[in-house]
Amino acid sequence: MTIQGTRVAGSTGTIGAIIAAMSCAACFPALASLASALGLGFLSQFEGVSIRYILPLFALIGLAANFLGGSRRRGLLRFVLGIVGPLAVLAAALLMATYGMATEWLLYPGLVLMIAVAIWDLTAPKSVAEGHDLRGFERDK
């Protein structure tokens, strides 16, 4: 997968996870109120499907994109943050769907990390992203 492809996939995973989490008014009230303010209150009728299937799917897309693209981008910090965010969202979704636990303490920081890494990817210069390996050294072209 190319650098641009992993950037798009990572951003898609982030946006999809946010929209899926917005559909669960009882689980994540802050995101549900944001969804209502944006005119997306109708998503609450898909709460069960969103938490069980859609949120984990988009978290996995983000995780895969960050994992595959992590070795091509500069810095271990970016790689770790890119993996931790989707893992937190995935864990929150699975704990919510399986055990019915309140997991907003895990979901919100995971979404913030996913957003931060997506913005980092979109604003990083292309030459920096392509010219270094995971340790920060220049790669042979």
Side-chain angles (χ1 to χ4, degrees):
M1 188 177 273
T2 66
I3 295 291
Q4 188 64 26
T6 57
R7 285 182 179 182
V8 170
S11 297
T12 302
T14 301
I15 292 169
I18 291 169
I19 292 174
M22 283 181 175
S23 69
C24 188
C27 311
F28 312 115
L31 286 175
S33 62
L34 177 63
S36 294
L38 294 173
L40 300 173
F42 68 92
L43 291 174
S44 64
Q45 64 186 341
F46 305 110
E47 181 176 332
V49 172
S50 289
I51 295 301
R52 285 189 182 90
Y53 304 110
I54 297 173
L55 184 59
L57 174 69
F58 279 112
L60 283 174
I61 290 171
L63 180 65
N66 285 317
F67 189 76
L68 291 174
S71 62
R72 296 186 191 126
R73 294 190 182 97
R74 188 179 78 169
L76 185 61
L77 177 65
R78 192 253 162 252
F79 179 71
V80 170
L81 292 178
I83 299 298
V84 170
L87 279 177
V89 171
L90 185 61
L94 293 177
L95 288 171
M96 173 65 70
T98 306
Y99 299 109
M101 295 173 61
T103 57
E104 59 273 348
W105 58 272
L106 190 58
L107 180 89
Y108 293 141
L111 287 175
V112 167
L113 273 175
M114 287 179 74
I115 292 168
V117 170
I119 291 171
W120 188 350
D121 281 349
L122 293 175
T123 59
K126 189 173 184 178
S127 62
V128 170
E130 290 179 351
H132 296 82
D133 67 4
L134 186 59
R135 298 169 304 219
F137 297 112
E138 279 196 45
R139 291 186 293 185
D140 297 330
K141 302 241 179 185

